[in-house]
Amino acid sequence: MEVREPVQQMTTDRQIIEEEVVKAKTEELEHKPNIDILKHTSEQNWQKEIAQFIKSKEIKQRSGEGVDELEDCDSFGEINFIGFGHGSKSAPYIRVDKNTNAEILWDLLINYWHMPRPKVLISVTGGAQDFFFKDRLKNLFNKGLYKAAVSTGGWIVTGGTGVGVMKKVGEAIKEESKGTTNDSHRHVVALGIATWGIISNNTVMEKSSKNGDLHEGFWPAEYVEKELKLSGKQTSLDSNHTHFILVDHGKVDYGADIGLRANLEQFINTKQTKEGKEKSAIPVVLVVVQGGVGTIETVYKSLIPPQDNSSGDSKVESIPVVIVEGSGKAADAIAEALRKTKQVDSTGIRDILEGMDIIRDVVDPKRINQTKFQECLGWFEQMMSSPYREMITVFRMQEENFKDIDRAILHGLLQAKSLTDNVRTQLNLALNWNRCDIAREEIITAERRTKWQEASLEGNMMTALIDNRPDFVELFLQHVIHLDKFLTIERLNSLYQKVIYSKQSIDGRTSTIDILRTRLESYQLKGITRGDECRFLLRRVGKVIQELTFHEYDRYYKEEKFVLKEQDKQDTESVPMTTSTNCKEDEFECPDQHLFLWAVLLNRREMAKIFWQRLTIGNIGSALFAGRILKALSRHAEIEEELTLYYDLTNHADEFEDLAIGVMDNCYEDDKKMSKLALVRKLTDWGGTTCFSIAYAAEQMKFIEHDCCQTKLQRVWKGNVQIHSYKQWIAYVFAAIFPFIIPFMTFLTKDYQVEYQEEENKESKKVETYKELSRWDKLKNVLRWKSNYKPGKGSEIRRVGGRPDDVTLWEGMGYYYKAPMSKFFFNIFLYVVLLFLFSWFILTDLRPASEENSPSVVEWIVIAWVATLIIEEFRQIHSKDPKSAFYRVLSWASDAWNIFDFLMFLFFIISIILRFTLSTEKFYRARIFYCVTLMLFYFRLLHMGFVQKDIGPKIIMIFKMLKDLMYFLVILIIFILSFGIASEAILYPNMEPDIRVFFKSIYKPYWQLYGELFLEEIEGLTDNATCYEDPRYVERCPETEQYPWVAPVLTAIYMLISNILLINLLIAMFSFTFQKVQEKSETIWRFYRYELINEYYDRPALAPPLIIFNHMYRFCKWSYMKYELKSELNKEKQEQKKADVIKKHETKMSHCLRVRLDDRLEDYLNGFEKKHMENYFIKKNQEYAKSWESTVTSSGDRIDKMSNDMEEMRELIGVSGKQETTQVKPPTGEQRQSIHSTTPNDEMATQIGQLTTKVSQMENKMDEMVNQNGQLTTKVAQIENKMDKILEMLEKSLSLKTESEC
């Protein structure tokens, strides 16, 4: 009875729990949709498949405790953990005999339990009892182990029970999985291999029912925490593990799982990580935490497999081991043995081991027999000898090399024999771990040069690119990969395909994959099936780039070679691991450029910066081009309300703009003339555009504000005319009225000529040979020729005269009238004349066409004049950068002034049509349109103010405030309509139905804003007698007799809201806009000034209306060129002829905004920019090293190190204090050697005193570091306060200046 009562009570509790579970499942099934029923059916089929597999493979288990007989396995299914602190959680399990074949278990795990094939197997072994784990070591262990499993997709294998190191692993998985939001990171495979006999309440997992001869298993087996009896050797399963293999040897004792676990791990070590062209063995590593004699045996069998002691032919290899020092017992003993036998010959290892007390503490001869003790010493001796000791990695918190345990695990994996000679597999592990430091220090090293040079690492490079590993990409490019041979069309196509069409983005919220995918789908090619889209992917990518750059550049990847062939399409999935693909010579002239574009489109900052630094096609223009693409992508993100992505793309674009400015700074300091030439040269690799046009299109104001840009624009603005003094200004102004002054002016004629001072023996290097060189060879030759390749002296000052070097009279007049500044002033002068004539005929002689002498001569002149202006607008549209007509119009319309011109000319055309078609009675309509058009023509004069430094920012403020006014009017109209209609309906009820009643309703509230209150009408102060005498009330008198107070109250409320609230809101908006523009008025003005200079640079020399002669000349010239090109029968000759004509007219002059350079000068500029790009980064690193941020950072690192050392000291003191108080643990080996005459307590007290002194010293040092850090912080705060005061003074002075101006 005494035995049955607890069993009966346990059965009663179990029945209650089962009833609750059944009830909950019934309620759940009642509310589940049909799809869950299908899922339930599939689960039943899965369960039957497992049962059939177990029967077919004849998996056995012991028939009972203490019995050696075997029986068919009937204990399998799914464990449902209840009451373990995380709700209900299930895990598959099976009970097997200790001699079960590992291959059968592998088949069960992969094909029936559907566990993902591991890339790494991390086996954790150690103490089977609870032990003390230092807090810092525990945190490092948890994070490192979880990171190692997640980053590699590996399995964690433990003993599976809820005690000792197994419990620590389960807690690590549970704690670390809470801190991640990624679902894939939550599902870490933790396989528990435990001994069946020690599992408490294991009866709930056995003796399942039978269906004929087939055991069905338990689905689920309810494993309830309340039913467990943890006594003696009985322990529970750990609920944080995901799968369980329970090993049965017929005894209630530990150790049954050791042999089967070792066999399974060795078998997994022989399996392959991937099924495909490239395979590699699944690496296995053993992590040792604490432990006892069983742990030492496990380490021994891992390092020295059975075939090393026998003549067997099995290919089982040694498994590397990672020791977590500081966890205690076996782990510390192995680490100490390694340290003491480091420089000892193999014959003396045994003597040292026998004298180590720490080994005797773990392998106590008093608790085990002497034979077992000697066997353990033999294990230690073999493990400490070469080559096995090299396969043991010790993790110490104090070492700089292994700060993270995951790094120690990876280091241990690399010591495996199967990986030692396989560089590609080692790099794959490092890539999965994202540990470039290990790849740099242990794989890609000088000692192993022959191995990694012989290996084909293109697959690793593809993996690094796709997985966004910039450190690895930089490492491969420095030592392993040659992009000229690596990048092929197939690989580039695969890079886009595998990233854009991947199921899961690795870049998170800052990924542009969705935007690119949407844009690519909008460019579906006609006649292409869905399956063939990947073949034309590069073509569609080229169209997306063209769209993002507003079709201003030639489309990339438009040639036929960028369309993959059918066999290439079939192999595209295996491209990342393909190592035999060879790059053709003509596929990519500059492969860095295409990978740079790929990284920019995907918003991968570090990757884009790596390829940008490698570019040899102009770093300034490349950075600006990247900024333009990123800003275009940010606009798409803003439309989709992806604000995080929008801000990230904007910041990324600003970073590239800053890089361009930094390189330009260094170039401008070295050579101003070449820096200016770099701004206006045509970038042939970026669509033939210039740095100026890219920066303006991307609104990169800070770059255009740069001194180099502004001095270049000023030079372009003045043309070839030299103006540096007041006398020259006076001569320039009067030359417009008196042309005979032009011969007395000075001009700049010679610019950017290149002198080749090569020796006679170098004459064999011809231009044809030079053109055949690769881009890198060109750059090397240019740098080699640098001493003999010098730019000219620059611009030379010339006068009009008869000497050979002088300027002729016609050249001087051409220089004067073709200067953009001259064109501007002549256009202003003639435009003012046009306005005068326009105003004159509107005021004096605008009559219907039916009358005599109408239109007048002045009006006909104005009409012809405006016609030339309209023709000029069409010429501007035609000269825009975009290649297609549609995008030229869009580019032209992107300028607000062009839209204004369109409205102005539209009104003018309507005015002309009306003045010729309307009769005399309706002619007033034509007059109204003419007057409105004249107003627009006068407003157009504001555009001329952009050239002036003080007027330009004010005009910008006006336009910004007009935008604010538009938003304000939307709010104001709501109040005007609400109060206007309400008051009108009260004063004049039941009005006659007419659309004009709405206009009448808003009449009074609108004018009330300006002070016209209409109080007499609203308050009813007029009677019928006076009402009808007043001409304002001829239609109807207001009715205010029934409710005379309502209208005045509504008016008062309306005046309160409109005149006080809304008007002050408008003033605040204007003030904010004024302040915002005023702060960067110089930057904004300089930015818009470029467009004005560019417009007048492109304009013909003559101003309207004389501009018609320039148009006629250009049209004739264009027609002749077309005729000349058509005369060429060969298409290639036509293209060459066209290029020669274009190049002939694009001369290298100081006043040019677009210059096409010869190959040598262009490559010289590329090398010039690249050299100063490198200097820029050197200076940047030096400045950072000297900055206070670097000082504070280094101080913080030192403080962290001191804090860690202090924490370690405190832990040592705590452990020592425990030892002194309890006297349970014997002293260590070193303490025993030092103890002679003193007692253990005295010696321990002395050690505690020494440790306390060290801690106090370290605390003092830490206080000093904190004080130094505080002083730095105080200095920074003082500097910030001074800067704030300076800014306040500047703001006050600006406000006083503004008030004085007002």
Side-chain angles (χ1 to χ4, degrees), residues 139 370-371 446 804 808 993 1228 1239:
N139 293 333
Q370 190 65 25
T371 305
T808 64
T1228 62
T1239 62

Side-chain angles (χ1 to χ4, degrees), residues 650-910:
T650 304
N651 293 334
H652 193 182
D654 292 340
E655 284 185 13
F656 271 109
E657 184 180 3
D658 293 336
L659 289 175
I661 293 172
V663 177
M664 178 56 67
D665 275 333
N666 284 270
C667 293
Y668 195 59
E669 290 177 3
D670 183 30
D671 192 331
K672 293 184 177 181
K673 287 185 172 59
M674 298 305 293
S675 301
K676 294 174 185 178
L677 183 59
L679 293 173
V680 297
R681 64 154 171 165
K682 287 203 169 185
L683 303 169
T684 55
D685 294 282
W686 298 114
T689 185
T690 64
C691 292
F692 268 132
S693 60
I694 298 174
Y696 182 78
E699 297 183 357
Q700 294 167 336
M701 297 186 181
K702 291 189 295 182
F703 180 81
I704 294 183
E705 187 190 15
H706 194 274
D707 291 344
C708 182
C709 298
Q710 291 302 309
T711 53
K712 179 61 182 176
L713 288 176
Q714 187 67 12
R715 179 69 267 163
V716 173
W717 177 244
K718 294 179 181 179
N720 286 76
V721 182
Q722 186 191 25
I723 304 175
H724 291 296
S725 62
Y726 287 107
K727 293 181 179 179
Q728 292 174 334
W729 269 109
I730 294 172
Y732 176 80
V733 172
F734 279 95
I737 306 173
F738 308 106
F740 58 84
I741 299 179
I742 293 177
F744 301 97
M745 299 176 63
T746 56
F747 302 96
L748 306 176
T749 59
K750 187 179 180 182
D751 191 33
Y752 301 135
Q753 294 181 358
V754 180
E755 300 175 1
Y756 296 97
Q757 302 172 355
E758 301 186 20
E759 300 176 2
E760 295 181 358
N761 57 357
K762 296 183 180 180
E763 292 179 355
S764 59
K765 297 181 180 179
K766 298 182 179 180
V767 177
E768 290 76 9
T769 306
Y770 178 80
K771 290 182 178 179
E772 294 174 358
L773 296 176
S774 66
R775 183 176 296 274
W776 274 105
D777 293 333
K778 287 182 181 180
L779 183 57
K780 291 176 183 177
N781 287 338
V782 167
L783 295 177
R784 192 184 301 120
W785 297 333
K786 186 176 179 182
S787 59
N788 297 322
Y789 184 72
K790 302 176 182 179
K793 297 179 181 179
S795 302
E796 296 185 8
I797 300 174
R798 293 288 184 266
R799 291 180 179 273
V800 176
R803 294 180 299 178
D805 294 335
D806 287 343
V807 177
T808 64
L809 178 61
W810 287 109
E811 288 177 341
M813 294 181 66
Y815 290 156
Y816 179 83
Y817 289 107
K818 288 181 180 180
M821 184 171 59
S822 303
K823 299 177 188 178
F824 175 77
F825 287 121
F826 280 116
N827 274 271
I828 285 183
F829 174 74
L830 292 177
Y831 191 80
V832 171
V833 173
L834 171 65
L835 291 178
F836 173 77
L837 295 177
F838 203 163
S839 305
W840 180 263
F841 86 81
I842 285 179
L843 291 172
T844 61
D845 196 4
L846 181 59
R847 293 173 286 109
S850 58
E851 296 184 9
E852 188 178 358
N853 296 328
S854 180
S856 63
V857 176
V858 176
E859 186 175 355
W860 280 116
I861 293 174
V862 170
I863 293 173
W865 200 320
V866 174
T868 61
L869 293 175
I870 295 175
I871 295 173
E872 172 60 18
E873 290 298 324
F874 280 105
R875 187 203 63 80
Q876 291 181 16
I877 294 174
H878 180 73
S879 63
K880 287 292 181 180
D881 289 333
K883 307 303 178 182
S884 64
F886 174 74
Y887 279 93
R888 284 177 183 174
V889 174
L890 287 183
S891 177
W892 174 83
S894 61
D895 189 352
W897 283 109
N898 290 331
I899 298 295
F900 185 88
D901 291 340
F902 172 77
L903 294 176
M904 181 177 68
F905 294 137
L906 179 64
F907 269 80
F908 186 81
I909 293 171
I910 294 174

Side-chain angles (χ1 to χ4, degrees), residues 471-532:
D471 295 337
F472 282 92
V473 171
E474 190 172 15
L475 177 65
F476 292 154
L477 292 175
Q478 288 175 354
H479 301 284
V480 181
I481 298 296
H482 298 282
L483 279 186
D484 294 334
K485 299 179 180 179
F486 166 78
L487 190 62
T488 62
I489 293 175
E490 292 79 10
R491 283 202 177 105
L492 184 61
N493 189 89
S494 180
L495 283 174
Y496 279 107
Q497 181 182 351
K498 288 186 176 294
V499 176
I500 295 176
Y501 294 107
S502 62
K503 295 181 179 179
Q504 186 176 3
S505 172
I506 64 174
D507 299 323
R509 298 177 67 183
T510 60
S511 172
T512 58
I513 289 177
D514 292 335
I515 297 175
L516 294 177
R517 197 178 296 162
T518 303
R519 302 317 309 153
L520 286 172
E521 290 175 356
S522 64
Y523 287 107
Q524 294 291 346
L525 300 177
K526 295 181 180 180
I528 302 302
T529 60
R530 198 75 179 174
D532 288 338

